[in-house]
Amino acid sequence: MRGLDLEYMLGLVPVIAGYIPLTLAIAALAMLLALVLAVALAMERVARVPVLDALVLLFISFFRGTPLLVQLFLFYYGLPQVLSFLTAIDGVTATIMGLTLHFAAYMAETIRAAITGVDRSQWEAAQSIGMTQVQMMSRVILPQAARTAAPTLVNYFIDMIKATSLAFTLGVTEMMGATQKEAAGSFLYFEAFLVAAVLYWIMVEALSQLQKRLETRLNKAYAR
């Protein structure tokens, strides 16, 4: 049984770490787009517009009920066969599209639950002073719902960062793609993937600490 090649592992750290900015950029952009879409979907779920509600439920059911990897393959390999103008789509774009739609489906339900969880008296108070629906949602309901949903949304961002590791299946050289290439060249698969795992772990732990601080800060105003 051979020991770990520590020298190789140490030399690999800056190589894989060099792709952290790309990994975070993919996750951050997908998170931003998913959040915007999720809010729109959640608002519709609260309003329950006929016909549109059925389409939103179908969207949520599909993207929550199918594997993310299958969705990525659909966007990267499948859609260009159906829509010719998408033949130029690259792996990064397909990854962002897949992550956006996949996580928006989950986040929509979280945001919807947070919105409906706001005390009914808040709705009634906003209506009693003549606020429009847009004013009520933007000034009263959504800020309170954000406090409830924020910790869970950070969890989704953490999951999104880990999910970017699937991008290498579309030919994207991010952290996992770089690790795969390095491992294939050296045949030191255990060392290479261990380095990648530790780097992902460090990022996730840093975000987890940020989540705890955010939760503490959001709850401070409500502490008695």
Side-chain angles (χ1 to χ4, degrees), residues 103-125:
F103 282 93
Y106 284 93
M107 291 162 59
E109 288 299 283
T110 296
I111 296 171
R112 179 196 62 79
I115 290 173
T116 57
V118 175
D119 194 278
R120 199 65 201 173
S121 63
Q122 299 293 308
W123 299 73
E124 294 169 353

Side-chain angles (χ1 to χ4, degrees), residues 27-39:
L29 181 54
M31 182 67 184
L32 178 62
L33 296 174
L35 185 59
V36 172
L37 178 57
V39 170

Side-chain angles (χ1 to χ4, degrees), residues 2-84:
R2 70 175 181 83
L4 290 175
D5 191 334
L6 296 179
E7 184 178 353
Y8 170 75
M9 293 174 69
L10 290 174
L12 196 56
V13 169
V15 176
I16 299 177
Y19 292 90
I20 289 178
L22 176 59
T23 296
L24 291 178
I26 291 173
L29 181 54
M31 182 67 184
L32 178 62
L33 296 174
L35 185 59
V36 172
L37 178 57
V39 170
L41 294 172
M43 296 281 283
E44 193 291 319
R45 291 287 293 120
V46 173
R48 294 185 179 276
V49 179
V51 181
L52 184 57
D53 192 50
L55 294 176
V56 169
L57 283 172
L58 179 63
F59 172 90
I60 292 174
S61 176
F62 177 80
F63 283 99
R64 290 181 61 168
T66 54
L68 175 57
L69 184 58
V70 173
Q71 295 165 17
L72 292 178
F73 281 9
L74 276 174
F75 286 121
Y76 189 63
Y77 297 110
L79 281 184
Q81 293 184 345
V82 179
L83 303 172
S84 58

Side-chain angles (χ1 to χ4, degrees), residues 96-187:
I96 293 172
M97 289 172 60
L99 292 175
T100 296
L101 299 181
H102 181 83
F103 282 93
Y106 284 93
M107 291 162 59
E109 288 299 283
T110 296
I111 296 171
R112 179 196 62 79
I115 290 173
T116 57
V118 175
D119 194 278
R120 199 65 201 173
S121 63
Q122 299 293 308
W123 299 73
E124 294 169 353
Q127 290 171 340
S128 69
I129 61 175
M131 281 189 175
T132 64
Q133 287 292 322
V134 173
Q135 289 174 329
M136 178 175 64
M137 293 302 296
S138 62
R139 299 180 185 181
V140 179
I141 306 303
L142 286 179
Q144 294 184 63
R147 170 182 165 269
T148 303
T152 304
L153 295 179
V154 174
N155 274 337
Y156 282 130
F157 182 56
I158 290 172
D159 288 341
M160 196 176 286
I161 288 175
K162 292 184 287 186
T164 59
S165 62
L166 295 175
F168 90 97
T169 62
L170 306 185
V172 179
T173 305
E174 38 65 70
M175 287 177 64
M176 192 63 180
T179 303
Q180 178 68 24
K181 289 181 179 180
E182 292 295 329
S186 65
F187 295 102

